[in-house]
Amino acid sequence: MSTRLVVTFAVLGTLLAAPAFAALGDVVGSFRAPGTSVRGLARSSTRLHILIYGNPTTIYRLAPVSGAVYGSWQPSFGNNCRGLAFSTPNRLWVGCYSDDRVYECRSTNGSVFGSWNAANNAYGVAPYCTGDGGAGTTAIFTSDTNPTAFCWRHNMVTGSVLASFPTPVRSFFDIAWDHRNRLIWMGDLSNVIYGYDTAGSVAASFPAPATYPYGMAYYGQYLWVGCDGNDYVYRVHCPGTLAVAPASLGRVKALFR
């Protein structure tokens, strides 16, 4: 057999063995959360952090794919926590809606380094980063619905507002920053997940994998979505080269390039 035929067969075999094309929102994996009432997610390079709301509220460190538990801690500042964000090297940012503060904690044990007033309930928290796992974080996003739906970008040290934009869909769910597409991802009570650009326009959307998609985290062209409706965490495809077709809010279409 000639070298050309061998190469041809090898390429053909690779193409046949390759997985089918994954589109935005396609579920590629899932696991049951370590408790009920998922309220926030954050992703480091090695762990998925999940906030389980309750008495006491507990933050778990998990294997991102299998959901195996590696540790947990209860916030020392109370149970009324929602959004989560991770920044390198080991910081977990926790939104607390009872005092409108965002707390900077050690990700492994919850020790508090500081906090600042977000001037909103901080239901959603995400790192303004340039790489996966919170690499290159220079600011922190928060989101809220009261009195109007907004997303803010804060100074990491003082909490002062650097920028903000309105979100056309009201939501008190967690948010994720997609640094590749420069979008904020957030679910809502209609069980749709929206991607907003930093002007507040809806750039893309897809149906949530289950009801009440409260938790949200982004890493490596995937979104982790924690759904309160069935207490599962889903890993869904989120391509890093989204191109968006102009559309109204009621009918948003995401294309790929």
Side-chain angles (χ1 to χ4, degrees):
M1 182 179 293
S2 68
T3 302
R4 181 178 296 177
L5 286 176
V6 171
V7 172
T8 300
F9 287 142
V11 172
L12 180 60
T14 300
L15 292 173
L16 291 174
F21 177 79
L24 175 65
D26 284 354
V27 175
V28 298
S30 66
F31 57 84
R32 189 169 184 83
T36 60
S37 299
V38 177
R39 288 295 183 272
L41 293 177
R43 182 71 161 81
S44 73
S45 61
T46 59
R47 296 288 179 259
L48 179 71
H49 303 265
I50 181 169
L51 188 153
I52 299 296
Y53 179 80
N55 189 12
T57 288
T58 303
I59 294 174
Y60 293 88
R61 290 182 294 114
L62 310 176
V65 175
S66 69
V69 176
Y70 283 88
S72 66
W73 48 270
Q74 286 82 44
S76 61
F77 37 88
N79 295 321
N80 298 321
C81 305
R82 288 289 184 97
L84 283 184
F86 183 90
S87 67
T88 55
N90 61 356
R91 298 296 191 263
L92 199 64
W93 303 80
V94 186
C96 186
Y97 65 86
S98 60
D99 61 7
D100 292 350
R101 300 190 75 81
V102 173
Y103 290 83
E104 179 187 359
C105 305
R106 187 180 297 278
S107 62
T108 52
N109 61 18
S111 59
V112 177
F113 293 99
S115 68
W116 38 262
N117 193 329
N120 68 77
N121 288 152
Y123 289 135
V125 184
Y128 182 51
C129 57
T130 57
D132 290 328
T137 298
T138 56
I140 299 294
F141 287 108
T142 66
S143 66
D144 193 8
T145 64
N146 188 22
T148 55
F150 258 82
C151 183
W152 296 266
R153 182 161 52 88
H154 301 265
N155 180 289
M156 295 174 65
V157 177
T158 66
S160 60
V161 175
L162 304 175
S164 66
F165 60 86
T167 54
V169 179
R170 294 174 63 88
S171 175
F172 46 85
F173 293 176
D174 195 16
I175 58 176
W177 170 245
D178 172 353
H179 63 89
R180 290 180 173 85
N181 294 299
R182 298 189 62 79
L183 297 179
I184 287 281
W185 293 99
M186 176 167 55
D188 79 330
L189 288 172
S190 67
N191 301 315
V192 174
I193 295 172
Y194 295 97
Y196 301 101
D197 65 24
T198 52
S201 298
V202 175
S205 69
F206 61 91
T211 57
Y212 303 108
Y214 271 94
M216 199 73 58
Y218 174 86
Y219 188 95
Q221 301 191 55
Y222 294 98
L223 283 171
W224 274 257
V225 181
C227 293
D228 189 54
N230 62 1
D231 299 314
Y232 265 76
V233 177
Y234 296 87
R235 185 162 52 100
V236 302
H237 194 56
C238 183
T241 52
L242 286 176
V244 181
S248 68
L249 174 61
R251 187 175 181 178
V252 178
K253 184 178 182 181
L255 304 176
F256 305 93
R257 62 174 181 264

